[in-house]
Amino acid sequence: MQVMIDVDDHLIESLGYERVKDLLSDSAAHLEIKVAAQEILREISAEDPAQDAAWAVARQQAWDQEKHKYQPDHNE
């Protein structure tokens, strides 16, 4: 895909053609990374184990089984 961007002549004169080209290239790369990060976040959110009922049951069973290791003994 190719995108055409109008850049003010004063900006090119001030920074130089190559510098403007590099900045725009960096911005495009940043945009690609941001889109990829948003896709990853959407996937992670959709597969959140905290929202899984079976995972919640397993977590509670594990806590019930192991909580004696982490709670003070009230029999002392």
Side-chain angles (χ1 to χ4, degrees), residues 2-3 8 13 21 32-33 36 47 53-54 56 64-67 71:
Q2 186 174 8
V3 176
D8 189 85
E13 290 171 7
K21 183 179 167 185
E32 286 183 78
I33 291 169
E47 298 173 12
D64 291 341
Q65 178 181 326
E66 302 295 324
K67 67 183 174 185
Q71 293 179 333

Side-chain angles (χ1 to χ4, degrees), residues 36-52:
Q38 288 174 336
E39 289 175 12
I40 291 168
L41 180 61
R42 188 171 34 254
E43 287 176 16
I44 290 172
S45 297
E47 298 173 12
D48 183 5
Q51 304 302 321
D52 182 15

Side-chain angles (χ1 to χ4, degrees), residues 14-41:
S14 174
L15 296 174
Y17 175 80
E18 288 300 318
R19 179 71 177 134
V20 171
K21 183 179 167 185
D22 290 343
L23 289 169
L24 290 173
S25 180
D26 289 348
S27 294
H30 178 77
L31 179 60
E32 286 183 78
I33 291 169
K34 186 173 183 177
V35 168
Q38 288 174 336
E39 289 175 12
I40 291 168
L41 180 61

